Amino acid sequence: MLAAEDTNITDRPLRESVRDTLRSRIFEGHYAPGTRLVERDLAAEFNVSRLPIREALRMLRQEGLIRDRSGRGSEVSGLSPKDVEDLFDVRQSLEVLACRLAAKRATTEDLHHLAGLLDEADRCLAKGSILEAHRANSDFHDAITAIANNDFLRSALEPLQGRMHWLFRHVSDLPELIQEHRDLYAAIASGDADRAATQSASHIGKYREQFPESSDAEPKLQRKKS
């Protein structure tokens, strides 16, 4: 049985706390692709009923992080090379639009929030908290989508967020990634929508090129060696 502090369970709805903990375990590699997730076992481990477990698994399924096992429960999804390529295609189109809109709509408060996430990523990196640095980087992208303030865009991006965050957790050069985000922030803060769109396309395209073009059916998603 796990204590609340070990599972991130707080006063938030249980389904969200359980989802976040399971998602973190997937991101960190504790659950490798193909790992079976059984409601009964997870309910016992988290010391909760099966309902929040079922809801958490449903949300992770919508994010594409887990999949059904033909009536035998759920398992952690893998991403084939084609999955990675398709994901970059869709995300690049949508996120370029998000950055374009964010440049037009960002308030002073919005920009302060984005800058704070970049500073948080730097602080976490400086103290060796790699997972927290990755989380701040993921939050940075999510915040841009929120600033864009387009409900249809948000609904299109939400199912992809988990898988994209999973991919970017495997980027090894965090200082470089944070600098890329600072460049993107500067473009958005300039208020120049075309500049923000161009910077976003460059940012995502750069990391697309650094993932393998071919690999095993369940790739480790490591960056290419330069």
Side-chain angles (χ1 to χ4, degrees):
M1 183 183 302
L2 299 180
E5 59 269 22
D6 296 325
T7 59
N8 296 327
I9 292 180
T10 63
D11 292 333
R12 299 170 59 217
L14 275 175
R15 64 181 181 275
E16 295 182 10
S17 297
V18 172
R19 175 203 61 194
D20 290 349
T21 300
L22 294 176
R23 185 197 283 136
S24 293
R25 291 178 181 180
I26 293 171
F27 286 161
E28 295 170 27
H30 295 305
Y31 295 149
T35 299
R36 187 181 178 195
L37 300 178
V38 181
E39 285 184 16
R40 179 186 63 253
D41 296 343
L42 291 172
E45 181 180 0
F46 283 89
N47 194 29
V48 298
S49 71
R50 293 177 67 169
L51 181 58
I53 299 294
R54 187 174 301 122
E55 286 297 300
L57 293 177
R58 179 186 61 79
M59 289 187 282
L60 292 175
R61 194 175 295 111
Q62 289 177 334
E63 294 181 23
L65 294 178
I66 66 172
R67 61 191 174 200
D68 290 327
R69 293 190 59 191
S70 303
R72 298 171 55 200
S74 302
E75 69 178 16
V76 177
S77 301
L79 288 174
S80 70
K82 185 177 186 303
D83 290 334
V84 172
E85 188 70 15
D86 290 349
L87 191 53
F88 271 109
D89 282 341
V90 176
R91 183 61 186 266
Q92 185 161 6
S93 297
L94 295 177
E95 188 148 306
V96 166
L97 174 58
C99 289
R100 178 181 291 279
L101 293 174
K104 294 178 179 179
R105 298 175 178 175
T107 65
T108 300
E109 183 179 355
D110 291 332
L111 294 175
H112 180 73
H113 178 57
L114 286 178
L117 290 171
L118 294 172
D119 291 342
E120 176 65 15
D122 273 329
R123 284 193 296 270
C124 292
L125 182 60
K127 64 183 182 181
S129 300
I130 302 303
L131 178 61
E132 287 75 13
H134 276 301
R135 184 176 295 119
N137 284 320
S138 296
D139 289 345
F140 176 80
H141 277 281
D142 292 346
I144 291 173
T145 301
I147 293 168
N149 193 26
N150 183 304
D151 290 340
F152 292 106
L153 176 63
R154 183 183 297 110
S155 65
L157 272 169
E158 279 179 352
L160 305 177
Q161 299 286 39
R163 281 168 282 186
M164 283 304 301
H165 293 340
W166 190 10
L167 285 182
F168 283 110
R169 293 290 173 113
H170 292 77
V171 171
S172 59
D173 194 340
L174 271 175
E176 179 185 56
L177 178 60
I178 295 170
Q179 183 57 53
E180 286 272 326
H181 283 174
R182 289 198 178 278
D183 293 341
L184 183 55
Y185 166 81
I188 292 171
S190 75
D192 186 332
D194 289 339
R195 176 184 169 187
T198 298
Q199 188 66 42
S200 175
S202 174
H203 172 58
I204 297 177
K206 178 176 182 177
Y207 288 98
R208 174 204 292 266
E209 293 172 358
Q210 292 176 346
F211 280 98
E213 295 176 358
S214 62
S215 63
D216 297 332
E218 300 294 353
K220 294 182 179 180
L221 303 177
Q222 295 298 322
R223 294 177 54 186
K224 287 181 179 177
K225 301 295 183 182
S226 57

